[in-house]
Amino acid sequence: AIDREIYPRAFAELYEVTCSFNKRRDTLMCITNQTMREILNCEKMLQNPQKSSIEELGALIDENFYEIGQSGKTWNKEQIIEYFNQKISNTKNPCVVTMEDEKFVTVDKSIVLITYTFIQTDAASTFSRSSRRSSLWKKQGERWVMLFHQGTPVVSMSEEEI
């Protein structure tokens, strides 16, 4: 029997991976640090589209992509590419974007979930908003593509109390 607490840590240290035990499948699921960096770089390109071409961004999105945005609006690949086109051409209001508290979960051998906090601040630092984000990434050949994305606004305490 696998020690569900000690084995994942020892394996992770030895092979530079992050592991978690999947109770449903009774298996150890691991993700390499290299894979985490690759997915994080892809995610950063999509979260800051002004720094990439439409072709680069389109290659990161699966044909069956589906998103639920912070507003509740849903998007498919065609719609999100059009949104990126508008965003890239609008350089009037640049924003600084940061990602914090990234967590990775291996769903299957070729599917990874990443969650993080996304912070968007205007260039003058007069406005800032945060959201919790989650994305499903699928390994397709030698590259990763996004299958699903969701953003949920972080509500301040004063707004929750109202």
Side-chain angles (χ1 to χ4, degrees):
I2 294 175
D3 184 324
R4 291 176 173 85
E5 297 298 319
I6 296 171
Y7 188 73
R9 282 193 308 257
F11 191 84
E13 289 171 12
L14 183 62
Y15 293 103
E16 295 185 4
V17 296
T18 300
C19 299
S20 60
F21 196 82
N22 184 323
K23 292 177 186 173
R24 190 169 54 99
R25 293 188 179 164
D26 201 34
T27 57
L28 185 65
M29 302 294 283
C30 299
I31 181 171
T32 66
N33 295 343
Q34 174 65 28
T35 297
M36 287 189 287
R37 283 190 296 274
E38 288 173 14
I39 292 171
L40 192 56
N41 286 337
C42 292
E43 189 79 42
K44 286 179 179 179
M45 286 176 67
L46 291 171
Q47 295 305 330
N48 202 1
Q50 293 90 340
K51 296 184 177 184
S52 302
S53 72
I54 286 297
E55 292 77 24
E56 290 172 313
L57 298 170
L60 295 174
I61 301 171
D62 188 73
E63 293 304 316
N64 297 312
F65 171 79
Y66 182 73
E67 175 173 343
I68 303 170
Q70 304 186 77
S71 66
K73 179 179 175 165
T74 58
W75 306 74
N76 62 28
K77 181 176 183 173
E78 183 180 312
Q79 292 167 323
I80 205 72
I81 293 297
E82 179 55 35
Y83 171 78
F84 287 153
N85 249 332
Q86 293 171 6
K87 195 137 171 116
I88 288 170
S89 60
N90 179 14
T91 56
K92 274 194 306 190
N93 300 318
C95 287
V96 175
V97 296
T98 55
M99 295 169 59
E100 298 177 349
D101 196 28
E102 300 94 350
K103 292 180 178 63
F104 294 85
V105 175
T106 303
V107 178
D108 198 46
K109 285 188 266 184
S110 62
I111 307 281
V112 174
L113 170 70
I114 178 176
T115 62
Y116 57 93
T117 301
F118 180 79
I119 303 162
Q120 189 174 18
T121 309
D122 69 335
S125 296
T126 57
F127 172 79
S128 180
R129 68 179 180 180
S130 300
S131 57
R132 303 261 191 266
R133 305 275 175 114
S134 60
S135 302
L136 271 179
W137 289 87
K138 175 176 76 170
K139 186 75 167 188
Q140 218 170 48
E142 293 299 311
R143 64 189 176 103
W144 289 95
V145 294
M146 185 184 282
L147 294 170
F148 174 80
H149 182 75
Q150 181 168 359
T152 305
V154 174
V155 180
S156 69
M157 291 299 282
S158 59
E159 290 175 7
E160 282 181 341
E161 295 171 349
I162 293 177

